């Protein structure tokens, strides 16, 4: 005896629905891994790069302030020639310093000008890191939303 025609149609419809569900789940998983996680990684790397720049400016600020406090014009330092190869250097007159202003450009400034520039630049970079942190939080929220959608599609009760 063969099963009724309605039972075969229902079985075929259920198989198609499960195939569509599996395809949707796969699309969402690919979206999370290919788009959202990649975007999150880029934003976090960019934020780390900006933190590194802030660190370099603050290091320069501390050096300039220690020169101001000592009242000395001479400076002995290590200079990076590239590839972390350092040589000792002696600066006769450190009243003027070269400061990286961006895009590979350096500007010669007095100590006071350099300190003012560093304060403005670090506050600008700090605001940029705050924006990047907000962007990363939004991406993390989007990942969470997609994961919740996956949970609902798969009929899971709790997200691990």
């Amino acid at each position: 005896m063969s099963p009724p025609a309605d039972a075969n149609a229902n079985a075929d419809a259920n198989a198609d629905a499960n195939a569509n569900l599996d395809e949707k789940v796969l699309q969402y998983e690919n979206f999370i891994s290919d788009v959202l996680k990649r975007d999150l990684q880029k934003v976090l790397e960019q934020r780390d790069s900006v933190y590194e720049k802030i660190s370099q400016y603050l290091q320069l600020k501390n050096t300039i302030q220690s020169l101001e406090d000592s009242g000395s014009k001479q400076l002995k330092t290590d200079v990076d020639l590239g590839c972390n190869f350092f040589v000792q250097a002696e600066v006769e007159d450190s009243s003027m310093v070269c400061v990286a202003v961006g895009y590979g450009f350096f500007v010669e400034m007095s100590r006071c000008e350099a300190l003012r520039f560093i304060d403005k630049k670090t506050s600008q970079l700090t605001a940029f890191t705050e924006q990047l942190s907000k962007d990363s939080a939004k991406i993390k929220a989007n990942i969470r939303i997609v994961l919740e959608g996956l949970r609902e599609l798969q009929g899971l009760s709790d997200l691990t």
Side-chain angles (χ1 to χ4, degrees):
M1 177 173 186
S2 65
D6 288 342
N8 284 338
N10 284 341
D12 288 342
N14 285 340
D16 287 342
N18 285 340
N20 286 339
L21 179 64
D22 290 343
E23 185 179 324
K24 288 261 190 224
V25 168
L26 186 61
Q27 286 176 345
Y28 282 127
E29 288 173 348
N30 287 336
F31 179 70
I32 290 172
S33 64
D34 294 344
V35 177
L36 294 178
K37 285 187 178 180
R38 186 194 59 208
D39 289 349
L40 179 62
Q41 182 180 0
K42 284 182 183 179
V43 167
L44 293 177
E45 286 173 358
Q46 189 177 13
R47 188 182 67 178
D48 290 344
S49 172
V50 174
Y51 279 139
E52 179 65 30
K53 287 179 186 176
I54 291 172
S55 171
Q56 291 171 352
Y57 278 117
L58 293 177
Q59 185 179 9
L60 178 61
K61 181 179 179 178
N62 289 338
T63 302
I64 292 171
Q65 287 176 337
S66 66
L67 284 172
E68 290 284 323
D69 293 342
S70 70
S72 174
K73 286 196 172 211
Q74 285 189 338
L75 171 67
K76 289 184 181 179
T77 185
D78 291 335
V79 177
D80 187 3
L81 295 179
C83 298
N84 288 325
F85 184 75
F86 290 88
V87 294
Q88 289 184 352
E90 187 173 319
V91 179
E92 295 291 328
D93 183 14
S94 64
S95 61
M96 299 295 281
V97 294
C98 290
V99 180
V101 294
Y103 298 107
F105 290 100
F106 291 81
V107 175
E108 188 175 31
M109 300 179 184
S110 69
R111 291 178 183 173
C112 292
E113 290 172 332
L115 289 173
R116 284 195 306 269
F117 174 80
I118 291 169
D119 286 339
K120 288 180 183 178
K121 188 70 173 181
T122 54
S123 66
Q124 177 190 32
L125 290 173
T126 301
F128 187 51
T129 59
E130 290 170 0
Q131 181 60 46
L132 289 172
S133 294
K134 288 178 184 176
D135 291 347
S136 71
K138 286 179 185 178
I139 294 171
K140 288 177 184 177
N142 287 337
I143 290 172
R144 181 74 176 174
I145 288 169
V146 173
L147 287 174
E148 286 291 327
L150 279 173
R151 183 184 62 80
E152 288 180 16
L153 274 177
Q154 293 174 329
L156 300 175
S157 60
D158 194 12
L159 184 65
T160 57

